[in-house]
Amino acid sequence: QVQVVESGGGLVQTGDSLRLSCTASGRTFSGYGTGWFRRAPGKEREFVAAISWSGNTYYADSVKGRNTISRDNAKNTVYLQMNSLKPEDTAVYYCARKVSSGSYDVPSKYDYWGQGTQVTVSS
C-alpha cells in the first residue's frame, strides 16, 4: 500500500514562512517528478510547484520568488518552503507523484495523492 503524507501546515500570519514536507512510503518517488497543488475553499485545485527527478523546478506565477521546492531522494521526501505568505495562499496543500510526460502543472499527470495539509494565513 503506497502512502503519501503531507505535513507542516498550520495557522500563520501574513509575511510568515512555512515548510511543507511530502513523504512517500518505500521508493514511490524514485525516478519520478513530484508536484505540489493546492485547493482553496470554493476554488479549483491549482498547481503550485513541481520538481523533476533530476532536480528541475517549476513554479506557478503566483508563488514564483516566494516558494522553493526541493527534494531529498535519500529520505524519499519533497519539501515546499513558502515565504512571505499571503492570505490568498490559504488552502489545503497536496503533493503527488508525476507519472505521465508533459506539463508539470496538469493534475491528471499525477497519481498517489496525499490527504493534504491545511495552510491558513491570517491578515
Side-chain angles (χ1 to χ4, degrees), residues 60-81:
D61 288 342
S62 59
V63 304
K64 198 172 295 182
R66 298 189 297 122
N67 287 13
T68 302
I69 189 170
S70 61
R71 66 189 309 151
D72 184 336
N73 293 333
K75 295 182 178 180
N76 217 25
T77 299
V78 174
Y79 304 98
L80 183 66
Q81 177 67 43

Side-chain angles (χ1 to χ4, degrees), residues 77-89:
T77 299
V78 174
Y79 304 98
L80 183 66
Q81 177 67 43
M82 305 189 297
N83 299 325
S84 302
L85 283 161
K86 306 174 182 180
E88 51 263 44
D89 293 317

